[in-house]
Amino acid sequence: MAKKKHSTNFYLIMAFFVSAVIFASGIGIGLFIDNLKGESISASLSDMRLSLQDAEIELLVMDYLGGSLSCDYLTMKSTELGEQSTNLGTQLDVFEQSNQINPDFYVPLKQEYTRVLIKNWITLEEIKKSCNSNYSTILYFYNNIDCQLCDNQAYVLEYFKSLLGDKVLIFALDAGLNAGVVDLLRYNFNVEEYPSLVINGELYSGYQDTNVLTQILNVS
Amino acid sequence: MISIIILCLLYFFLFLSCFWVIVFLDNLDVLWEDPNPKKKYQISVIIPAYNEEKNITKSIESTLSQNYPRELFEVIVVNDGSNDATRRICESYVKKGLIRLFNKKNGGKASAMNLGIRHAKGELIFILDADSKADKNCFNNLIGYFNNSKVAAVTSSMTVTSKKTFLQKIQWVEYLFSILMRKIMSLFNCLHVTPGPGSIYRKSIIQEIGGFSEKTLTEDMEIAFNIQDKGYIIENSLNSVVLTNTPEKIADLIRQRRRWYTGFIEDSSSYKHFFFNKNKGFLGAFLLPSNVFGTFALLFLSFYSIFLLGKNFFKTLTNFNSINFNLLTVLKFPELSNFFYGINIFSIISIILLAMSLILVYYSLRTSNVKIDLKNNFWDYVSYLLFYSILMTLFWVDSIFYKLFFRTNSAGWRYGKKEALN
């Protein structure tokens, strides 16, 4: 046969080393990007926390001044907060779906996000109460395990968000996250099945289709 | 768990790509060297033909115009019971004393070639499918390899005659890729097919091993296994170029690949003692097992991808249904920044594998001396990269079903023409 320059074993060993280095680099780059994603989400969480603190202080200032002049500003602020939490939630979702090797990597981030999200919900409920704002808040309880309708429910909620914009603020809470504060809310609202929705403080158990939500949210 | 399996399979393909690229780069300067022949051999060209009235003239003419002393080669056409004008066309050449013609009852390509070999006067047998054309320097480039008495066969670089249809364009890149792979494989003496268009054999060895099998679907693969089994060598020449026709339509292509892949299943089953057998060299110890494993890996990855696509399609459909298909409200472009959050280890390894494929395709083009014309051929390369693995999966599934449920023991002709299977 035509003479090759090196032995077969040489090529096999070389291929093993080169492919191992490329493969390890691929995994390394993947992990590095995971870290970047984590850092980016952490930074966004910090921003959201700061915005929340601002809103809380502004609420206190409004209480202290006893006027409703700042309501327009606070309502605008609540819209921004809602947008921020929605965007961050989407990023976390994409991150969660893409992270199939080490699912534990994003869990602490999601727990942190959930805590900030609930704080956000409370603040927005307070703004709503103080300013008599006309937006609806929805707490959406879902579970990633054994909940075939949860994906569908999330999609229907996205649809209503697209339809109503600032008029509805959605807070998605993963019941399987092992977060004490989510359990507390579940206990408080008697959430026993998934998906479940708490719309403006009232519990709706099970999947809610577009017809039901249209009535509840008064969509014309 | 599934993620780990997929990562392992991706690594396997990466390892194979690295192996071939390293071998190629290391031996770049010797790949084009054909040995100088120590003597001029008497060559018999055998053209087996079945209903080839459209192609046979070009095929005969290409052999008659070889840059080789005319007195040192003869052209034999074996007409395997054609019911078109093949016989009449060949007889016109016989009258001029240019070829010898043998007419026989239809019995399949292998039986036609065996008949030709029995009547051949040459020391070497050059087989040329009737739908193929040989470059005029084929003989000169091929015969030097027979200086080594262990060499039983030498294969040529096979490319396509025309690439009009989408499928032919994909096959064009596939054939170019095969040129590179065959040459590299020959460095390890692990060629396990000597294609019908343009392979040359040492007649004494072919007779010693019993000629072409008339039972198998792929006689060119069976004879290569047989040659390897007896400890002989199969070489390849990059400089010897043959052009062959490729199927234009998907139905013809499926039939052709059914014959090839079913033939591979049957021949590798007949020669199963090659597998993991160090005594059978690199072919037995590595190439055949990795080919079979790679095929199953490809099928697994393809089916898993189809499963995920189906699942997502069903989910999307359910979602659309739940909002009464009021899509205008929800359809929007995903934000570019979110793509960043979707990048993961799989996408990075897949990009690396794609890059390796591009490198191999690039070197295939260089090997085949085809001008790298991105402007005109860009979509051919892209189509190959995008659709080849899908087509491969389709062909393999079809062949496995065919083998399990429909296969009889008749051998046939190219594209598996029904008439010849009778």
Side-chain angles (χ1 to χ4, degrees):
Chain A
M1 76 193 97
K3 199 156 169 57
K4 56 187 186 299
K5 285 185 180 167
H6 292 95
S7 70
T8 303
N9 282 343
F10 169 83
Y11 291 119
L12 285 171
I13 291 167
M14 278 294 286
F16 173 74
F17 275 112
V18 173
S19 58
V21 167
I22 294 174
F23 195 70
S25 307
I27 291 181
I29 294 168
L31 292 174
F32 175 71
I33 290 176
D34 272 355
N35 267 327
L36 284 183
K37 288 191 264 189
E39 281 172 17
S40 165
I41 287 173
S42 291
S44 301
L45 272 171
S46 299
D47 285 350
M48 206 168 123
R49 230 180 273 118
L50 276 176
S51 302
L52 261 176
Q53 280 174 3
D54 279 352
E56 282 166 347
I57 292 166
E58 281 153 11
L59 255 179
L60 287 173
V61 170
M62 198 182 85
D63 270 356
Y64 176 74
L65 295 175
S68 59
L69 287 175
S70 315
C71 268
D72 285 347
Y73 175 76
L74 279 174
T75 306
M76 190 184 77
K77 191 85 182 178
S78 63
T79 307
E80 275 175 22
L81 280 170
E83 286 286 321
Q84 239 176 329
S85 67
T86 306
N87 290 341
L88 200 51
T90 309
Q91 287 168 1
L92 260 171
D93 264 356
V94 179
F95 187 19
E96 184 174 0
Q97 280 162 24
S98 73
N99 195 325
Q100 292 157 341
I101 297 292
N102 183 16
D104 294 337
F105 192 82
Y106 62 87
V107 169
L109 280 174
K110 198 169 175 184
Q111 285 172 332
E112 177 67 9
Y113 166 74
T114 305
R115 282 192 284 272
V116 177
L117 194 69
I118 290 170
K119 210 171 172 191
N120 197 359
W121 168 69
I122 293 169
T123 309
L124 295 179
E125 284 288 3
E126 281 175 11
I127 293 174
K128 188 178 164 185
K129 211 185 288 173
S130 305
C131 297
N132 208 15
S133 307
N134 64 349
Y135 55 76
S136 299
T137 59
I138 302 178
L139 285 181
Y140 161 47
F141 290 90
Y142 69 96
N143 195 336
N144 277 332
I145 307 158
D146 296 332
C147 179
Q148 292 187 339
L149 290 170
C150 285
D151 268 344
N152 205 214
Q153 184 70 79
Y155 192 78
V156 170
L157 289 173
E158 267 181 48
Y159 166 72
F160 276 94
K161 179 71 187 165
S162 309
L163 215 60
L164 299 172
D166 304 342
K167 302 278 181 221
V168 62
L169 298 169
I170 300 162
F171 305 88
L173 302 172
D174 184 353
L177 196 61
N178 202 16
V181 66
V182 178
D183 292 340
L184 181 69
L185 285 171
R186 275 171 48 211
Y187 181 76
N188 183 60
F189 289 109
N190 284 323
V191 174
E192 284 171 351
E193 63 175 304
Y194 305 103
S196 279
L197 304 177
V198 175
I199 304 174
N200 298 327
E202 197 174 331
L203 175 70
Y204 297 87
S205 286
Y207 174 78
Q208 307 299 320
D209 63 20
T210 44
N211 293 334
V212 176
L213 286 171
T214 302
Q215 282 183 349
I216 298 170
L217 296 169
N218 287 326
V219 181
S220 53
Chain B
M1 183 60 188
I2 193 92
S3 307
I4 302 295
I5 292 172
I6 291 170
L7 269 185
C8 291
L9 295 181
L10 290 178
Y11 175 73
F12 168 76
F13 286 118
L14 183 66
F15 172 79
L16 284 185
S17 307
C18 287
F19 178 80
W20 297 121
V21 169
I22 289 169
V23 174
F24 175 82
L25 292 176
D26 194 41
N27 295 282
L28 198 55
D29 49 337
V30 297
L31 294 178
W32 277 269
E33 286 174 10
D34 291 324
N36 286 323
K38 284 181 184 163
K39 66 166 199 170
K40 290 281 184 187
Y41 294 83
Q42 183 77 37
I43 299 171
S44 295
V45 177
I46 296 175
I47 304 175
Y50 174 75
N51 288 348
E52 291 289 357
E53 62 181 7
K54 286 181 186 164
N55 303 308
I56 192 78
T57 306
K58 284 179 186 168
S59 179
I60 293 172
E61 290 292 341
S62 79
T63 56
L64 292 175
S65 58
Q66 285 292 309
N67 278 340
Y68 200 72
R70 185 63 186 90
E71 67 279 11
L72 286 179
F73 75 94
E74 61 172 348
V75 179
I76 297 171
V77 176
V78 183
N79 172 30
D80 192 37
S82 299
N83 44 35
D84 64 354
T86 304
R87 181 175 179 165
R88 189 174 48 76
I89 294 167
C90 292
E91 279 171 349
S92 68
Y93 282 93
V94 174
K95 279 178 193 163
K96 291 177 200 164
L98 294 172
I99 67 165
R100 294 163 71 199
L101 173 67
F102 295 93
N103 294 299
K104 66 183 277 292
K105 200 179 156 192
N106 182 262
K109 186 177 166 186
S111 71
M113 289 191 291
N114 284 335
L115 182 103
I117 292 168
R118 279 199 295 278
H119 289 90
K121 295 172 186 164
E123 303 163 81
L124 303 179
I125 306 286
F126 182 81
I127 303 282
L128 188 67
D129 282 354
D131 64 341
S132 306
K133 287 182 288 184
D135 176 73
K136 60 185 175 185
N137 289 314
C138 267
F139 294 175
N140 287 321
N141 293 322
L142 291 167
I143 59 172
Y145 288 96
F146 290 98
N147 293 342
N148 179 349
S149 61
K150 295 289 279 179
V151 170
V154 188
T155 63
S156 297
S157 298
M158 201 164 51
T159 185
V160 305
T161 312
S162 68
K163 51 177 189 102
K164 292 175 195 158
T165 66
F166 171 73
L167 285 173
Q168 283 182 318
K169 285 172 183 174
I170 292 181
Q171 289 175 84
W172 174 67
V173 184
E174 180 197 18
Y175 276 56
L176 293 179
F177 187 63
S178 301
I179 291 173
L180 170 71
M181 292 311 291
R182 285 213 180 90
K183 185 64 202 181
I184 302 177
M185 283 199 271
S186 76
L187 297 176
F188 297 87
N189 189 30
C190 57
L191 285 173
H192 53 287
V193 62
T194 47
S199 291
I200 191 164
Y201 303 86
R202 196 187 293 273
K203 186 181 166 189
S204 58
I205 295 179
I206 295 302
Q207 287 176 324
E208 178 196 322
I209 64 173
F212 288 94
S213 166
E214 295 178 18
K215 288 178 183 168
T216 179
L217 284 171
T218 42
E219 70 294 324
D220 49 0
M221 185 181 290
E222 196 281 336
I223 202 164
F225 271 115
N226 202 350
I227 289 169
Q228 295 278 7
D229 201 22
K230 301 292 187 302
Y232 292 113
I233 294 168
I234 301 172
E235 290 284 7
N236 172 270
S237 166
L238 283 179
N239 301 309
S240 171
V241 178
V242 288
L243 296 162
T244 192
N245 287 347
T246 49
E248 291 179 23
K249 295 172 184 165
I250 186 72
D252 287 336
L253 185 61
I254 287 175
R255 274 202 290 277
Q256 182 197 56
R257 299 309 163 111
R258 182 184 297 157
R259 190 172 76 76
W260 289 7
Y261 297 165
T262 310
F264 176 75
I265 295 169
E266 292 181 358
D267 292 336
S268 30
S269 164
S270 302
Y271 290 89
K272 55 180 176 287
H273 58 281
F274 269 69
F275 283 80
F276 303 106
N277 186 348
K278 271 188 175 177
N279 296 328
K280 295 298 172 192
F282 191 66
L283 176 64
F286 181 80
L287 193 87
L288 281 177
S290 71
N291 270 4
V292 172
F293 180 76
T295 303
F296 279 110
L298 178 74
L299 288 176
F300 171 78
L301 290 175
S302 302
F303 279 116
Y304 186 65
S305 306
I306 291 167
F307 164 73
L308 288 183
L309 279 173
K311 197 175 151 190
N312 279 335
F313 177 74
F314 182 73
K315 185 178 148 186
T316 308
L317 207 65
T318 314
N319 285 341
F320 286 173
N321 184 45
S322 63
I323 58 162
N324 302 321
F325 291 90
N326 189 2
L327 302 180
L328 281 179
T329 318
V330 284
L331 283 185
K332 55 189 174 190
F333 287 108
E335 283 190 31
L336 276 179
S337 61
N338 286 344
F339 281 113
F340 166 67
Y341 294 95
I343 299 171
N344 61 11
I345 289 168
F346 294 102
S347 41
I348 288 162
I349 303 279
S350 301
I351 289 167
I352 291 171
L353 267 174
L354 182 70
M356 295 297 287
S357 308
L358 285 171
I359 291 171
L360 278 170
V361 169
Y362 170 75
Y363 282 127
S364 306
L365 296 174
R366 276 190 56 180
T367 313
S368 60
N369 290 328
V370 170
K371 195 181 165 195
I372 300 171
D373 185 357
L374 271 182
K375 195 178 167 189
N376 288 322
N377 299 324
F378 178 76
W379 290 111
D380 301 346
Y381 310 138
V382 172
S383 305
Y384 172 79
L385 289 172
L386 287 178
F387 297 108
Y388 185 65
S389 57
I390 299 170
L391 286 172
M392 281 276 284
T393 307
L394 173 72
F395 299 146
W396 270 110
V397 170
D398 172 70
S399 302
I400 290 168
F401 267 89
Y402 175 72
K403 170 66 188 158
L404 289 176
F405 303 113
F406 302 108
R407 168 82 171 112
T408 60
N409 285 325
S410 313
W413 278 83
R414 67 192 175 85
Y415 308 174
K417 284 181 181 173
K418 274 184 189 170
E419 305 94 299
L421 286 168
N422 293 327

